[in-house]
Amino acid sequence: MKWLWVLAAAAAEICGVVGLKQFSTTRHLRHLGPFIGGFGLSFLALYTSFKYLPISSAYAVWIGLGTAGAVVVNMIFFHEKRNPGRVMGMVLIVIGAMGVKWLS
């Protein structure tokens, strides 16, 4: 259950990133909800996870999953470049974040 808070925080962060991307391109008020709400829920879920997990582990996994998720979403929905270097970098970020969790 405790890691579900981190997963929820990462998912909400990805929603916040999508809202930020949409708001930065169209500046329409309807994109403020996913932007502000996504990041707000993300911080709330991350904060809650700190009650059950070491901050260093929870934060590292949140950053890794959020970053990788944002890259994948942007590649799929916003047609950002896909190349082996970007994919390998994303994989290394996730491995590094998970390494912090596994080694602590």
Side-chain angles (χ1 to χ4, degrees), residues 3 6-7 10 13 53-69 88-104:
W3 284 104
V6 177
L7 293 175
E13 181 186 13
L53 298 166
I55 291 173
S56 59
S57 297
Y59 185 75
V61 172
W62 172 68
I63 288 293
L65 293 177
T67 301
M88 181 55 73
M90 181 181 59
V91 168
L92 289 173
I93 289 170
V94 171
I95 289 171
M98 295 306 215
V100 169
K101 183 253 183 236
W102 289 323
L103 297 173
S104 54

Side-chain angles (χ1 to χ4, degrees), residues 7-19:
L7 293 175
E13 181 186 13
I14 294 166
C15 291
V17 169
V18 170

Side-chain angles (χ1 to χ4, degrees), residues 17-19 21-22 25 73-81:
V17 169
V18 170
K21 170 71 173 170
Q22 291 176 330
T25 57
V73 166
N74 282 313
M75 284 180 179
I76 293 171
F77 296 107
F78 299 110
H79 309 291
E80 287 188 0
K81 288 191 307 184

Side-chain angles (χ1 to χ4, degrees), residues 26-80:
T26 62
R27 302 235 194 280
H28 197 276
L29 289 178
R30 72 174 176 223
H31 300 303
L32 277 178
F35 170 37
I36 294 171
F39 283 122
L41 286 174
S42 179
F43 288 126
L44 181 64
L46 182 65
Y47 173 77
T48 303
S49 77
F50 291 163
K51 295 178 184 177
Y52 309 105
L53 298 166
I55 291 173
S56 59
S57 297
Y59 185 75
V61 172
W62 172 68
I63 288 293
L65 293 177
T67 301
V71 170
V72 169
V73 166
N74 282 313
M75 284 180 179
I76 293 171
F77 296 107
F78 299 110
H79 309 291
E80 287 188 0

